[in-house]
Amino acid sequence: MSTPNSRQGDALYIIIVRDSQANTLLKNWANKNRQEVHLANNKMSLYTQNSLSIFQVTWNNDWGNVTIWDTWNRRHVYLS
């Protein structure tokens, strides 16, 4: 589910990257893909379903270090 306007209300997804350069990796990804996100250390909050889809397609770093939390359904998103 996505909100009609980005950054309205709570984040739909939280992406956590376990890496020493996580903040830099996430910031570079957000800038390169022109996504409106909120960054806090190794966590990135996404406000639209489209942002998650773009992340899944364009993330080119180690997937083993990535955790995606769906705040709406309160569960992890597992990628296969």
Side-chain angles (χ1 to χ4, degrees):
M1 175 162 290
S2 63
T3 57
N5 297 322
S6 61
R7 302 271 329 207
Q8 191 176 46
D10 295 329
L12 295 178
Y13 301 98
I14 299 173
I15 299 186
I16 303 165
V17 177
R18 293 173 306 280
D19 189 285
S20 60
Q21 298 296 320
N23 194 32
T24 303
L25 293 171
L26 292 171
K27 186 185 295 183
N28 289 342
W29 177 87
N31 289 335
K32 180 180 176 184
N33 292 287
R34 298 184 179 136
Q35 296 300 306
E36 189 172 341
V37 302
H38 177 264
L39 293 171
N41 296 326
N42 66 332
K43 297 178 184 176
M44 178 171 65
S45 299
L46 302 177
Y47 296 90
T48 64
Q49 173 67 41
N50 188 45
S51 293
L52 178 63
S53 297
I54 291 172
F55 182 82
Q56 290 174 318
V57 171
T58 61
W59 182 254
N60 57 7
N61 294 294
D62 186 12
W63 279 105
N65 294 336
V66 175
T67 301
I68 302 173
W69 177 253
D70 181 346
T71 62
W72 185 263
N73 292 315
R74 295 185 181 155
R75 64 180 177 86
H76 287 100
V77 176
Y78 293 100
L79 305 172
S80 52

